[in-house]
Amino acid sequence: MNYYYLLLLAILFEVCGTTCMKFSEGFSKLIPSVLIFVFYAISFFFFTLALKGIDVSIAYAVWAGLGTAFITAVGILWFREPASALKLISLAVVVAGVIGLHMSDRVT
């Protein structure tokens, strides 16, 4: 089994949960509010399965970094948030850090 597919599923469900936070408007809308917890539960389920084959330090860095990248893209594309040069450069640094952590695991 490829544990990175499970990690990718965890990331995608985490992004769905975070997106529902925006749609819930501070828990004032029922369906998006419930979906936050559903999506996060599914995300943690897949994340836990992924940890069977990926070191926790690497898995969490990838989960947090790519989740940040994906939710930034959702914010820019779906919610029309500004895409400043500083935001995009900072996002590239986060992704580069995740790649660096992943590569460091293979160097040792």
Side-chain angles (χ1 to χ4, degrees), residues 13-14 16 36 61 64-65 88-89 93 100:
F13 279 103
E14 184 267 335
C16 290
I36 293 168
L88 297 176
I89 290 167
V93 170

Side-chain angles (χ1 to χ4, degrees), residues 31-51:
I31 300 296
S33 297
V34 170
L35 288 176
I36 293 168
F37 297 99
V38 170
F39 287 136
Y40 268 95
I42 295 168
S43 174
F44 287 139
F45 172 76
F46 283 119
F47 188 72
T48 301
L49 293 178
L51 289 177

Side-chain angles (χ1 to χ4, degrees), residues 8 11 17 21 31-33 35 37 62-63 69 72-73 94 101 104 106:
L8 180 61
I11 293 165
M21 286 183 189
I31 300 296
S33 297
L35 288 176
F37 297 99
V62 171
W63 185 67
T72 299
V94 168
L101 278 171
S104 72
R106 295 177 185 205

Side-chain angles (χ1 to χ4, degrees), residues 2 7-8 12 16-18 20-21 29 33 43 48-49 51 53 55 62-63 68 74-75 84 86-87 89 100-101 103:
N2 191 331
L7 182 57
L8 180 61
L12 293 176
C16 290
T18 302
C20 284
M21 286 183 189
K29 294 189 175 180
S33 297
S43 174
T48 301
L49 293 178
L51 289 177
D55 291 342
V62 171
W63 185 67
T68 299
V74 168
S84 67
L86 181 58
K87 183 183 280 189
I89 290 167
L101 278 171
M103 290 174 54

